[in-house]
Amino acid sequence: MIIFKTDFQPTMKCWSWALKLGLVVIGIILILKTFAVQSLIEQIASFLLGSTFIGIYIYILSVIPSFIAIDEKGIIIKRTFDKKYIPYSIIKDVFIYNEVQSDIRYFGSNGFLGYIGIMGSTIYGKYHSYVKNPKQQVFIVTQKKNYLLSCENRKQFIEEILKKISAIK
């Protein structure tokens, strides 16, 4: 198994920690405020806001990839709580892609802390984006869904996948 690190651009690393810390702290404060206010409406509003902030934090953790790996049968996108597996047998093409900034966002983050979520391209259609560093984008076209990833050493990543795909065919 070959592991490719996926990381934010250096300027965004500190922002990612600040955002995560801010979401948790604000969420906890708002939930604790629920017990301090006396009005039922304020209690409900405070609890819902706090829960929303904690929910956003959990969503960020569940979607942003920790690393990307290549094994003998496919690509593994490791996330905090689970992993996404893309077998080589369904991959049609893999290439460098630098157009995410002009694509359409259906759901997710469109630039701040990366391009994470469901996006759309006029050429390739809807795709799932796991881009933390837009300078290292790799587009994967499959028979079912398309994916946009980012990892260090993207040229080596692409070469390894193309070798595996050609060995299957």
Side-chain angles (χ1 to χ4, degrees):
M1 180 182 304
I2 304 171
I3 296 177
F4 291 87
K5 187 177 176 185
T6 175
D7 213 346
F8 295 107
Q9 293 182 55
T11 55
M12 294 309 267
K13 274 187 183 182
C14 65
W15 283 110
S16 74
W17 285 105
L19 177 66
K20 291 174 187 175
L21 181 64
L23 286 170
V24 169
V25 169
I26 291 170
I28 290 171
I29 288 171
L30 288 170
I31 289 173
L32 291 176
K33 184 180 172 192
T34 302
F35 303 108
V37 294
Q38 294 190 358
S39 167
L40 180 61
I41 293 174
E42 288 179 4
Q43 287 178 338
I44 292 170
S46 182
F47 181 76
L48 288 176
L49 278 172
S51 299
T52 301
F53 279 99
I54 298 294
I56 291 169
Y57 176 72
I58 291 170
Y59 171 75
I60 288 171
L61 281 180
S62 67
V63 175
I64 293 179
S66 305
F67 64 85
I68 297 168
I70 296 176
D71 67 8
E72 293 304 314
K73 296 182 181 179
I75 301 167
I76 302 164
I77 303 168
K78 178 64 176 106
R79 300 181 286 198
T80 303
F81 301 121
D82 66 346
K83 60 184 172 184
K84 177 75 182 160
Y85 192 76
I86 307 168
Y88 297 128
S89 60
I90 66 166
I91 296 176
K92 292 181 179 179
D93 198 8
V94 180
F95 53 89
I96 291 174
Y97 187 76
N98 292 316
E99 304 299 322
V100 71
Q101 292 85 355
S102 61
D103 288 348
I104 298 168
R105 174 190 58 191
Y106 294 119
F107 180 79
S109 172
N110 197 18
F112 184 70
L113 296 180
Y115 296 87
I116 309 292
I118 301 172
M119 309 289 186
S121 165
T122 54
I123 299 169
Y124 303 106
K126 189 164 64 169
Y127 62 87
H128 295 265
S129 180
Y130 301 99
V131 174
K132 289 168 80 175
N133 185 348
K135 295 179 180 175
Q136 294 291 327
Q137 299 174 71
V138 176
F139 202 94
I140 301 173
V141 179
T142 71
Q143 295 169 357
K144 298 177 182 178
K145 296 179 183 177
N146 297 329
Y147 301 91
L148 184 63
L149 315 171
S150 67
C151 63
E152 292 182 1
N153 303 319
R154 71 175 171 181
K155 288 183 181 179
Q156 180 190 359
F157 178 76
I158 292 170
E159 288 170 4
E160 291 291 333
I161 293 172
L162 291 175
K163 278 189 227 173
K164 304 280 187 182
I165 292 171
S166 64
I168 291 173
K169 294 178 180 180

